[in-house]
Amino acid sequence: MGNFMSCSSSSSQSKQVKKKLFPKRSSSCKDNNNNQSSRWNRNRFSKKDDSLLNQEDAIAAAILFQQQQLQNGGAFDRSTSLRYTSGNSSKKQQALPRSSSSRARSVSDTILQPRQLLNQELKIDELETSHFVLVHGGGYGAWCWYKTMSLLEEAGFKVDAIDLTGSGIHSCDTNTITSLAQYVSPLILLLQNLQDGHKVILVGHDFGGACISYAMELFPHKIAKAIFIAASMLTGGQSTLDMFNQQSGSNDLMRQAQVFLYANGNDHPPTAIDLDKSLLKDLLFNQSPAKDVALASVSMRPIPFAPVLEKLSLSEEKYGAVRRFYIETTEDDAIPLSIQQNMITSNPPEKVFRIKGSDHSPFFSKPQSLHKHLVEISTIPAIEKCGSSVIG
């Protein structure tokens, strides 16, 4: 991950959470004697307001009936639904999607959110694949995808988030990992066990980009698309460390945050890289909610050092046959936007998307924007490859 940016100088000196889904939002909010307000309604109602609601409903329904008569020659369209705004005549009523209900909309009814509107337009059965496989970055685990998993599953997708070896709740000691093949073995096993003809959309974040690249070379026929999120998108013969070494300048924050581990003794190369917990927020989560920073602080594990040094063998016939997409993060302090764009220039994907205002962890800081881009990429039909374009 970006966590390796300063490894070159250091090395030269010889130096799931279980998947957690959002609770589904209730289709209605209960009013009680304590005058609780609906979470979907901006206005709070007093008992007096509640007593006037039936009168207001009747008046609004009569107006609607008259409007429909004028527009439809007397025919009343019972598929039309109307939201009432609790007597605030200064505010315009908001138009909502058509509903099959013939009753007036109650203040306790849910209002469709943007992601729900997006999901309504999806035709899952018509997609090349509706199966996402989410691969975390260095130090992270499957736990980091909990928001993304919830949103995708709610939209009808099948989602697998895996713990790479020594990550998340995987029992292996990170210091014992000696190769990229060992590190990505849980992903390889998942792909091996896919039914014949079944394809997935691979999503890699951070160092997970190198991991999904490794898998693309082995199983190009099982991967419909590959999505790199602020990730190491390498060329053949390149390691993650090489990629960062090519960048000019240094990342002082990264140097300060890195803690090298020497399980084999100080006279041997590092076995893993840990991160100073006090610097996690500034480095990885500078735009993320405090609760997610807290989750990360107790869940992140050291990053195995050997896989970072390993050069990938990538061919145009296999790796190059998989459609690639890149999602940039503009407020990233771990893999700055300039480094992301250098990778894109060196190894152009089919399309580039951008999440404005996102830190290195968009699944925390901008989950809705990330979800939108993932869904959009899943719906892109097979087309002849052309020059990259950036979509903000």
Side-chain angles (χ1 to χ4, degrees), residues 267-342:
D267 55 340
H268 290 82
T271 51
I273 309 168
D274 206 353
L275 294 175
D276 185 335
K277 296 296 189 291
S278 67
L279 297 176
L280 280 181
K281 179 174 176 61
D282 291 338
L283 182 64
L284 305 176
F285 312 111
N286 54 293
Q287 302 295 322
S288 296
K291 64 180 181 180
D292 293 323
V293 180
L295 171 64
S297 68
V298 298
S299 303
M300 293 195 74
R301 295 177 63 180
I303 306 147
F305 191 64
V308 179
L309 304 178
E310 189 167 326
K311 297 182 184 294
L312 290 182
S313 177
L314 304 175
S315 66
E316 187 62 28
E317 295 74 23
K318 295 181 179 179
Y319 167 85
V322 181
R323 303 173 69 188
R324 286 180 293 114
F325 302 84
Y326 201 97
I327 299 178
E328 298 175 342
T329 46
T330 62
E331 304 299 321
D332 197 325
D333 287 336
I335 303 183
L337 184 60
S338 59
I339 296 182
Q340 298 177 42
Q341 292 176 338
N342 283 337

Side-chain angles (χ1 to χ4, degrees), residues 135-184:
V135 182
H136 62 80
Y140 295 79
W143 52 266
C144 73
W145 299 108
Y146 79 94
K147 294 180 181 179
T148 301
M149 293 178 68
S150 175
L151 292 170
L152 287 174
E153 289 180 342
E154 189 177 59
F157 290 94
K158 174 180 172 59
V159 188
D160 283 310
I162 61 173
D163 282 319
L164 298 175
T165 306
S167 304
I169 60 173
H170 194 282
S171 60
C172 179
D173 180 359
T174 305
N175 291 287
T176 64
I177 299 172
T178 58
S179 68
L180 186 60
Q182 182 184 1
Y183 183 55
V184 303

Side-chain angles (χ1 to χ4, degrees), residues 19 79 178 190 246 346 356 361:
K19 180 177 75 173
S79 67
T178 58
L190 183 149
Q246 293 177 3
S346 300
K356 297 178 181 179
S361 307

Side-chain angles (χ1 to χ4, degrees), residues 3-35:
N3 305 354
F4 321 123
M5 193 170 179
S6 63
C7 289
S8 58
S9 61
S10 299
S11 60
S12 66
Q13 300 170 9
S14 189
K15 306 275 183 192
Q16 164 164 149
V17 171
K18 190 176 182 181
K19 180 177 75 173
K20 178 181 179 182
L21 301 178
F22 279 163
K24 293 186 178 179
R25 290 171 173 172
S26 173
S27 61
S28 64
C29 298
K30 296 181 180 180
D31 296 325
N32 56 32
N33 293 331
N34 293 326
N35 192 30

Side-chain angles (χ1 to χ4, degrees), residues 224-240:
K225 295 167 184 169
I227 304 174
F228 294 75
I229 305 172
S232 51
M233 187 170 63
L234 309 177
T235 57
Q238 191 179 34
S239 71
T240 298

